[in-house]
């Protein structure tokens, strides 16, 4: 969670300074979901992400160097500088990609799970999506197919309360998105998305079920993003109050788990502080690497471009 928080905070500063091209959707506040789920996965398990995908990539093990270089649009980036913030992937880490299309990662994860089943592998696919994505046809088609075929997929709804600027109450009548899982005969669980331990326990159960051949499961993690939909300052559209943001911050996921760790003797304050400093040093080195990296070579423009 510290790695995600500091990566995103620095990325936000770089964007505000005009150093990064394109859009930036920051994951700050939602760290417990990515960390809790990814800690339940194996290296060969695969994930699909969203436009707000940096946290998932970091938690799955994608390197800081490759990620910052991609944000800078450099040739050493995770996607050779071609994808930018919303399209980071690393197939060697099982990160099948972030996606700028709402809900588009769901059928990709279902396909990955089908492929694993077909090849006799024991891996699991996890797809992350927001509350708004459950209104998209791709979600319903993917959920239905995964349930009918009993595929090893875990559906993780990161419900941060807003589909861009629209509150959940403005785009669905349901209070709990997880209720939609029942329509496909799929079990579900609602968890506190600010509590990494709670997320991890639910994910561990869902992943174990999927790996044992018991089919898909849906987890709804009720969480919150601290920054606007895009960037740090966003469009200054007054769709939520400062008081609401401040109230959610009183249950910051990192503060909660650090307080628990100190209280039960899992870690000392000094050990936790060392994690923060070590991560800051790693980020500084990665940003320097990205800034020193070359731009993509125009001669490689058609590399990995295919037509049907």
């Amino acid at each position: 969670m510290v790695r995600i928080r500091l990566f995103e905070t620095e990325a936000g500063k770089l964007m505000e300074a005009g150093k990064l091209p394109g859009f930036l959707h920051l994951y700050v506040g939602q760290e417990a979901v990515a960390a809790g789920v990814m800690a339940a996965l194996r290296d060969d398990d695969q994930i699909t992400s969203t436009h707000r995908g940096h946290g998932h990539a970091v938690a799955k093990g994608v390197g800081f160097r490759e990620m910052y270089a991609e944000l800078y649009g450099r040739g050493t980036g995770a996607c050779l500088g071609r994808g930018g913030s919303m399209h980071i992937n690393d197939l060697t880490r099982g990160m099948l990609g972030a996606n700028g299309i709402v809900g588009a990662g769901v059928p990709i994860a279902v396909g990955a799970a089908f492929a694993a089943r077909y090849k006799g592998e024991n891996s699991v696919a996890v797809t992350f999506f927001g509350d708004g994505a459950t209104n998209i046809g791709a979600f319903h088609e993917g959920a239905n197919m995964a349930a009918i075929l009993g595929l090893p997929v875990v559906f993780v709804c990161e419900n941060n309360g807003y589909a861009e600027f629209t509150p959940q109450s403005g785009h669905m009548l349901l209070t709990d998105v997880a209720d939609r899982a029942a329509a496909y005969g799929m079990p579900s669980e609602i968890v506190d998305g600010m509590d990494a331990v709670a997320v991890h326990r639910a994910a561990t159960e869902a992943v174990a079920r999927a790996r044992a051949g018991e089919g898909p499961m849906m987890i709804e993690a009720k969480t919150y993003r601290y920054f606007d939909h895009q960037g740090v300052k966003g469009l200054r559209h007054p769709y939520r109050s400062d008081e609401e943001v401040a109230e959610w911050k009183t249950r910051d996921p990192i503060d909660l788990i650090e307080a628990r760790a100190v209280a039960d003797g899992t870690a000392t304050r000094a050990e936790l502080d060392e994690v923060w400093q070590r991560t800051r040093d790693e980020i500084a080195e990665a940003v320097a690497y990205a800034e020193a990296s070359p731009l993509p070579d125009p001669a490689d423009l058609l590399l990995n471009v295919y037509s049907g």
Side-chain angles (χ1 to χ4, degrees), residues 21 26 55 73 140 145 159 169-170 172 179 219 232:
L26 299 173
H140 296 282
M145 179 174 287
N159 187 353
S169 60
M172 68 173 68
D179 288 350
I219 297 171
V232 176

Side-chain angles (χ1 to χ4, degrees), residues 6-277:
L6 290 179
F7 179 93
E8 293 289 68
T9 301
E10 182 63 22
K13 292 177 182 177
L14 292 170
M15 184 184 188
E16 291 294 301
K19 294 186 176 182
L20 303 182
F23 294 95
L24 195 72
H25 302 83
L26 299 173
Y27 197 75
V28 176
Q30 300 183 196
E31 294 90 348
V33 185
V37 171
M38 243 60 79
L41 300 181
R42 301 188 318 215
D43 290 345
D44 62 328
D45 293 329
Q46 297 175 302
I47 68 168
T48 62
S49 184
T50 71
H51 55 281
R52 200 177 309 282
H54 302 163
H56 306 136
V58 170
K60 197 63 171 73
V62 183
F64 281 168
R65 279 185 165 198
E66 296 85 348
M67 289 186 66
Y68 276 118
E70 190 61 36
L71 295 185
Y72 271 87
R74 303 305 171 94
T76 56
C79 301
L80 307 180
R82 298 161 180 245
S85 169
M86 287 192 283
H87 301 95
I88 290 176
N89 71 68
D90 185 343
L91 302 187
T92 66
R93 302 283 186 176
M95 169 52 165
L96 301 184
N99 204 309
I101 301 173
V102 174
V106 174
I108 295 174
V110 172
F114 181 87
R117 170 77 59 79
Y118 183 80
K119 292 185 290 186
E121 298 172 349
N122 191 229
S123 61
V124 170
V126 177
T127 180
F128 294 90
F129 50 90
D131 50 298
T134 66
N135 295 325
I136 301 297
F139 164 79
H140 296 282
E141 293 170 7
N144 189 54
M145 179 174 287
I148 288 174
L149 298 179
L151 297 177
V153 190
V154 178
F155 293 79
V156 180
C157 177
E158 298 182 293
N159 187 353
N160 60 26
Y162 294 91
E164 292 192 357
F165 312 109
T166 305
Q168 182 184 335
S169 60
H171 66 77
M172 68 173 68
L173 295 180
L174 297 175
T175 299
D176 299 317
V177 176
D179 288 350
R180 291 189 156 169
Y184 304 105
M186 186 191 308
S188 64
E189 183 173 351
I190 300 170
V191 298
D192 179 0
M194 308 302 272
D195 184 343
V197 175
V199 174
H200 179 61
R201 287 171 175 162
T204 298
E205 175 191 349
V207 169
R209 287 185 75 262
R211 208 181 303 282
E214 298 177 26
M217 178 174 173
M218 182 171 170
I219 297 171
E220 179 185 359
K222 295 184 184 291
T223 183
Y224 200 78
R225 55 173 162 83
Y226 292 174
F227 293 121
D228 209 340
H229 168 65
Q230 196 280 133
V232 176
K233 298 176 182 177
L235 300 177
R236 308 296 181 93
H237 179 57
Y239 63 96
R240 60 182 187 177
S241 67
D242 292 340
E243 291 75 19
E244 178 182 298
V245 177
E247 182 178 354
W248 275 93
K249 285 184 177 181
T250 63
R251 300 196 64 255
D252 182 85
I254 300 179
D255 289 346
L256 289 175
I257 202 166
E258 287 190 338
R260 177 182 292 182
V262 172
D264 66 15
T266 301
T268 65
R269 184 66 255 175
E271 289 171 330
L272 296 173
D273 290 342
E274 197 275 330
V275 171
W276 285 87
Q277 187 56 52

